[in-house]
Amino acid sequence: MQEILDEIVATIGASDDRGKVADYIPQLACVDPNQFAITVALADGRVFSSGDSERLFSIQSISKVFTLTIALGKLGDAVWSRVGREPSGDPFNSIVQLEHEQGKPRNPFINAGAIAIADAILMGHQPKETLAEILQFVRFIADDDSIGIDEKVAQSELLTGDRNASLAHFMASFGRIKNPVDCVLGTYFHHCSIAMNTEQLARSGLFLVDNGRNPVTGTRVVSTQRARRINSLMLMCGHYDGSGEFAFRVGLPGKSGVGGGILAIAPGTASIAVWSPGLDEVGNSKLGTEALEKLVQHTGWSIFG
Ligand code: GLU
């Protein structure tokens, strides 16, 4: 495994065509696109990394997997009255579908859906309390208490978040946001600004590898059925309107973020995190996707056999 990862870093990590860093969040525009990291956390507890695997990056939309998991824990199936579970086929920040579908986002992973989920888990709490709860959960699943939020990224998103504010207000106009919009957005921007390295991120996905139970710590996080469902949502909706392409090329449930990270799950086998800040046209890590494609070719981990 170490040889495979080192080879991926040597070939893909050295690529000239690295995609484009997200520049609509100014703090992300400053990130050096020449960084690259990959970590594989196996179900048996072994962890292999190559590249800049200790460098922290903004996990952005990957955090939506964690907030969905928390929302399902709090609301159960009532979550599905707030967001759907269909691929959107639209860009991550699109408002178009919301009007046709009375303010109900297609799925929990597009921005509108994740904002609706932030609203769902806020219920009756201050954003600070909810963020503490989200962080506590992420630290628990990653088994790492050092994980925190990059406040500079959060402020940068707040200052430039007109599109997300529009989505939230639009949903509120349909009566779909129950808390003050500012509180919902503050919570959303902050959880997107959680900073992790690929080692921490790979470990955080382990509960999705072993039917809802972290195979290394032995703790149960969610039921088997819930883990299955989260994985299926990641496969169908985890890469926005590039989800079909990711399933075609990689064949694993995965969630990307505009910070250039991707968390991918090989059920029963491994949790994989890659990071390369440059994005493709639809906002998914360009080299990260290529790296996963290569890893799956080497290992045969595609869920499609
Ligand atoms: N915080 C980002 C936004 O709302 C998340 C987008 C992403 O990672 O895809 O625009």
Side-chain angles (χ1 to χ4, degrees):
M1 180 55 65
Q2 191 62 52
E3 268 171 37
I4 294 174
L5 299 189
D6 289 344
E7 192 196 310
I8 287 173
V9 168
T11 52
I12 291 183
S15 171
D16 285 337
D17 187 3
R18 310 187 74 86
K20 236 178 118 273
V21 294
D23 51 11
Y24 75 101
I25 300 172
Q27 199 62 28
L28 295 183
C30 319
V31 177
D32 174 7
N34 293 309
Q35 304 176 91
F36 183 88
I38 183 162
T39 295
V40 170
L42 293 173
D44 67 9
R46 286 177 296 162
V47 176
F48 298 89
S49 292
S50 195
D52 304 305
S53 59
E54 283 169 20
R55 191 70 56 86
L56 296 177
F57 63 92
S58 193
I59 67 166
Q60 289 295 317
S61 280
I62 303 168
S63 62
K64 297 172 184 175
V65 175
F66 309 140
T67 51
L68 170 66
T69 307
I70 295 170
L72 286 167
K74 282 177 181 280
L75 282 78
D77 282 343
V79 163
W80 308 119
S81 66
R82 290 171 166 256
V83 294
R85 38 182 198 249
E86 290 294 342
S88 73
D90 277 321
F92 67 98
N93 58 3
S94 173
I95 202 165
V96 176
Q97 238 157 21
L98 275 183
E99 182 164 17
H100 291 302
E101 297 174 7
Q102 289 77 46
K104 182 176 177 180
R106 270 283 168 101
N107 68 64
F109 294 153
I110 50 174
N111 284 12
I115 291 167
I117 293 290
D119 180 54
I121 57 182
L122 255 173
M123 280 304 174
H125 296 279
Q126 291 300 314
K128 266 198 171 150
E129 292 173 285
T130 301
L131 283 165
E133 187 184 356
I134 295 170
L135 261 186
Q136 191 186 14
F137 178 73
V138 174
R139 289 170 176 170
F140 166 63
I141 56 173
D143 196 23
D144 187 333
D145 283 343
S146 70
I147 295 167
I149 290 173
D150 185 334
E151 191 58 39
K152 274 195 191 152
V153 174
Q155 289 309 322
S156 189
E157 288 208 53
L158 266 168
L159 290 172
T160 55
D162 290 331
R163 176 69 71 104
N164 286 319
S166 308
L167 294 172
H169 282 289
F170 197 61
M171 287 189 286
S173 75
F174 286 98
R176 290 192 165 273
I177 295 287
K178 318 278 183 219
N179 297 275
V181 167
D182 284 353
C183 293
V184 177
L185 287 171
T187 306
Y188 170 74
F189 291 137
H190 278 80
H191 76 63
C192 285
S193 303
I194 293 174
M196 290 167 95
N197 59 36
T198 53
E199 294 224 8
Q200 293 167 327
L201 188 58
R203 287 182 206 275
S204 75
L206 276 169
F207 77 99
L208 294 170
V209 171
D210 191 18
N211 300 309
R213 183 186 147 272
N214 184 320
V216 180
T217 60
T219 45
R220 176 155 293 284
V221 180
V222 295
S223 68
T224 299
Q225 185 195 49
R226 189 159 289 165
R228 235 182 252 146
R229 289 176 166 181
I230 295 169
N231 277 330
S232 81
L233 281 163
M234 288 169 75
L235 182 77
M236 294 185 297
C237 319
H239 283 72
Y240 309 116
D241 46 346
S243 299
E245 182 71 10
F246 186 81
F248 182 83
R249 286 173 59 189
V250 178
L252 294 177
K255 182 75 203 84
S256 72
V258 292
I262 302 176
L263 173 64
I265 306 298
T269 310
S271 169
I272 309 137
V274 284
W275 173 54
S276 173
L279 310 178
D280 63 17
E281 318 71 53
V282 292
N284 298 312
S285 176
K286 184 172 185 301
L287 296 184
T289 308
E290 285 174 26
L292 287 168
E293 201 175 2
K294 270 229 166 343
L295 180 69
V296 166
Q297 279 164 10
H298 277 289
T299 55
W301 285 349
S302 164
I303 60 167
F304 301 108

